PDB file of all heavy atoms in Angstrom:
ATOM      1  N   TRP A 252      -8.906 -28.417  21.842  1.00 96.00           N
ATOM      2  CA  TRP A 252      -8.797 -27.596  20.626  1.00 96.00           C
ATOM      3  C   TRP A 252      -7.435 -27.787  19.960  1.00 96.00           C
ATOM      4  O   TRP A 252      -7.323 -27.675  18.745  1.00 96.00           O
ATOM      5  CB  TRP A 252      -9.065 -26.132  20.940  1.00 96.00           C
ATOM      6  CG  TRP A 252     -10.446 -25.872  21.480  1.00 96.00           C
ATOM      7  CD1 TRP A 252     -10.773 -25.074  22.531  1.00 96.00           C
ATOM      8  CD2 TRP A 252     -11.679 -26.417  20.974  1.00 96.00           C
ATOM      9  NE1 TRP A 252     -12.139 -25.085  22.727  1.00 96.00           N
ATOM     10  CE2 TRP A 252     -12.719 -25.897  21.785  1.00 96.00           C
ATOM     11  CE3 TRP A 252     -12.019 -27.277  19.932  1.00 96.00           C
ATOM     12  CZ2 TRP A 252     -14.056 -26.217  21.597  1.00 96.00           C
ATOM     13  CZ3 TRP A 252     -13.351 -27.611  19.732  1.00 96.00           C
ATOM     14  CH2 TRP A 252     -14.354 -27.081  20.564  1.00 96.00           C
ATOM     15  N   GLN A 253      -6.425 -28.063  20.765  1.00 97.00           N
ATOM     16  CA  GLN A 253      -5.120 -28.364  20.163  1.00 97.00           C
ATOM     17  C   GLN A 253      -5.209 -29.629  19.311  1.00 97.00           C
ATOM     18  O   GLN A 253      -4.695 -29.669  18.195  1.00 97.00           O
ATOM     19  CB  GLN A 253      -4.067 -28.522  21.277  1.00 97.00           C
ATOM     20  CG  GLN A 253      -2.674 -28.889  20.774  1.00 97.00           C
ATOM     21  CD  GLN A 253      -2.101 -27.831  19.838  1.00 97.00           C
ATOM     22  OE1 GLN A 253      -2.341 -26.637  20.012  1.00 97.00           O
ATOM     23  NE2 GLN A 253      -1.378 -28.272  18.806  1.00 97.00           N
ATOM     24  N   GLN A 254      -5.875 -30.641  19.853  1.00 97.00           N
ATOM     25  CA  GLN A 254      -6.057 -31.863  19.050  1.00 97.00           C
ATOM     26  C   GLN A 254      -6.902 -31.591  17.814  1.00 97.00           C
ATOM     27  O   GLN A 254      -6.637 -32.105  16.726  1.00 97.00           O
ATOM     28  CB  GLN A 254      -6.702 -32.966  19.890  1.00 97.00           C
ATOM     29  CG  GLN A 254      -5.744 -33.582  20.895  1.00 97.00           C
ATOM     30  CD  GLN A 254      -6.450 -34.590  21.799  1.00 97.00           C
ATOM     31  OE1 GLN A 254      -7.608 -34.960  21.565  1.00 97.00           O
ATOM     32  NE2 GLN A 254      -5.752 -35.026  22.845  1.00 97.00           N
ATOM     33  N   ALA A 255      -7.929 -30.784  18.001  1.00 98.00           N
ATOM     34  CA  ALA A 255      -8.764 -30.429  16.850  1.00 98.00           C
ATOM     35  C   ALA A 255      -7.912 -29.809  15.751  1.00 98.00           C
ATOM     36  O   ALA A 255      -8.024 -30.163  14.563  1.00 98.00           O
ATOM     37  CB  ALA A 255      -9.855 -29.449  17.279  1.00 98.00           C
ATOM     38  N   HIS A 256      -7.053 -28.894  16.154  1.00 98.00           N
ATOM     39  CA  HIS A 256      -6.162 -28.236  15.193  1.00 98.00           C
ATOM     40  C   HIS A 256      -5.344 -29.267  14.425  1.00 98.00           C
ATOM     41  O   HIS A 256      -5.276 -29.248  13.190  1.00 98.00           O
ATOM     42  CB  HIS A 256      -5.247 -27.263  15.935  1.00 98.00           C
ATOM     43  CG  HIS A 256      -4.273 -26.557  15.055  1.00 98.00           C
ATOM     44  ND1 HIS A 256      -4.628 -25.527  14.233  1.00 98.00           N
ATOM     45  CD2 HIS A 256      -2.947 -26.748  14.853  1.00 98.00           C
ATOM     46  CE1 HIS A 256      -3.566 -25.099  13.565  1.00 98.00           C
ATOM     47  NE2 HIS A 256      -2.522 -25.824  13.924  1.00 98.00           N
ATOM     48  N   GLU A 257      -4.763 -30.189  15.151  1.00 98.00           N
ATOM     49  CA  GLU A 257      -3.878 -31.157  14.489  1.00 98.00           C
ATOM     50  C   GLU A 257      -4.659 -32.142  13.621  1.00 98.00           C
ATOM     51  O   GLU A 257      -4.256 -32.461  12.505  1.00 98.00           O
ATOM     52  CB  GLU A 257      -3.045 -31.900  15.533  1.00 98.00           C
ATOM     53  CG  GLU A 257      -1.967 -30.980  16.122  1.00 98.00           C
ATOM     54  CD  GLU A 257      -1.429 -31.456  17.463  1.00 98.00           C
ATOM     55  OE1 GLU A 257      -1.651 -32.631  17.814  1.00 98.00           O
ATOM     56  OE2 GLU A 257      -0.811 -30.623  18.164  1.00 98.00           O
ATOM     57  N   GLU A 258      -5.794 -32.587  14.134  1.00 98.00           N
ATOM     58  CA  GLU A 258      -6.578 -33.551  13.356  1.00 98.00           C
ATOM     59  C   GLU A 258      -7.117 -32.910  12.078  1.00 98.00           C
ATOM     60  O   GLU A 258      -7.158 -33.545  11.014  1.00 98.00           O
ATOM     61  CB  GLU A 258      -7.732 -34.111  14.196  1.00 98.00           C
ATOM     62  CG  GLU A 258      -7.241 -35.039  15.308  1.00 98.00           C
ATOM     63  CD  GLU A 258      -8.380 -35.541  16.195  1.00 98.00           C
ATOM     64  OE1 GLU A 258      -9.526 -35.680  15.700  1.00 98.00           O
ATOM     65  OE2 GLU A 258      -8.130 -35.766  17.390  1.00 98.00           O
ATOM     66  N   ILE A 259      -7.531 -31.675  12.198  1.00 98.00           N
ATOM     67  CA  ILE A 259      -8.080 -31.024  11.007  1.00 98.00           C
ATOM     68  C   ILE A 259      -6.994 -30.737   9.978  1.00 98.00           C
ATOM     69  O   ILE A 259      -7.192 -30.910   8.780  1.00 98.00           O
ATOM     70  CB  ILE A 259      -8.874 -29.762  11.408  1.00 98.00           C
ATOM     71  CG1 ILE A 259     -10.187 -30.205  12.063  1.00 98.00           C
ATOM     72  CG2 ILE A 259      -9.132 -28.857  10.211  1.00 98.00           C
ATOM     73  CD1 ILE A 259     -11.011 -29.097  12.643  1.00 98.00           C
ATOM     74  N   ARG A 260      -5.829 -30.350  10.456  1.00 98.00           N
ATOM     75  CA  ARG A 260      -4.735 -30.150   9.488  1.00 98.00           C
ATOM     76  C   ARG A 260      -4.406 -31.465   8.778  1.00 98.00           C
ATOM     77  O   ARG A 260      -4.168 -31.499   7.572  1.00 98.00           O
ATOM     78  CB  ARG A 260      -3.493 -29.555  10.160  1.00 98.00           C
ATOM     79  CG  ARG A 260      -3.729 -28.075  10.515  1.00 98.00           C
ATOM     80  CD  ARG A 260      -2.469 -27.274  10.705  1.00 98.00           C
ATOM     81  NE  ARG A 260      -1.546 -27.356   9.602  1.00 98.00           N
ATOM     82  CZ  ARG A 260      -1.580 -26.582   8.504  1.00 98.00           C
ATOM     83  NH1 ARG A 260      -2.502 -25.649   8.354  1.00 98.00           N
ATOM     84  NH2 ARG A 260      -0.685 -26.743   7.561  1.00 98.00           N
ATOM     85  N   GLN A 261      -4.433 -32.557   9.530  1.00 98.00           N
ATOM     86  CA  GLN A 261      -4.158 -33.857   8.901  1.00 98.00           C
ATOM     87  C   GLN A 261      -5.255 -34.228   7.909  1.00 98.00           C
ATOM     88  O   GLN A 261      -4.978 -34.735   6.819  1.00 98.00           O
ATOM     89  CB  GLN A 261      -4.024 -34.932   9.986  1.00 98.00           C
ATOM     90  CG  GLN A 261      -3.502 -36.268   9.456  1.00 98.00           C
ATOM     91  CD  GLN A 261      -2.109 -36.117   8.840  1.00 98.00           C
ATOM     92  OE1 GLN A 261      -1.215 -35.524   9.452  1.00 98.00           O
ATOM     93  NE2 GLN A 261      -1.930 -36.622   7.615  1.00 98.00           N
ATOM     94  N   LEU A 262      -6.499 -33.953   8.311  1.00 98.00           N
ATOM     95  CA  LEU A 262      -7.615 -34.230   7.405  1.00 98.00           C
ATOM     96  C   LEU A 262      -7.428 -33.539   6.061  1.00 98.00           C
ATOM     97  O   LEU A 262      -7.589 -34.137   4.992  1.00 98.00           O
ATOM     98  CB  LEU A 262      -8.921 -33.751   8.056  1.00 98.00           C
ATOM     99  CG  LEU A 262     -10.142 -33.639   7.127  1.00 98.00           C
ATOM    100  CD1 LEU A 262     -10.591 -35.018   6.642  1.00 98.00           C
ATOM    101  CD2 LEU A 262     -11.296 -32.913   7.818  1.00 98.00           C
ATOM    102  N   VAL A 297      -7.259 -23.938  13.969  1.00 98.00           N
ATOM    103  CA  VAL A 297      -8.285 -23.820  15.002  1.00 98.00           C
ATOM    104  C   VAL A 297      -7.881 -22.733  15.987  1.00 98.00           C
ATOM    105  O   VAL A 297      -6.725 -22.670  16.424  1.00 98.00           O
ATOM    106  CB  VAL A 297      -8.477 -25.171  15.727  1.00 98.00           C
ATOM    107  CG1 VAL A 297      -9.376 -25.016  16.958  1.00 98.00           C
ATOM    108  CG2 VAL A 297      -9.083 -26.197  14.762  1.00 98.00           C
TER     109      VAL A 297
END
Side-chain angles (χ1 to χ4, degrees):
Chain A
W252 299 136
Q253 178 61 35
Q254 286 175 10
H256 179 76
E257 288 160 16
E258 290 177 30
I259 287 174
R260 288 201 53 86
Q261 190 61 49
L262 165 67
V297 171

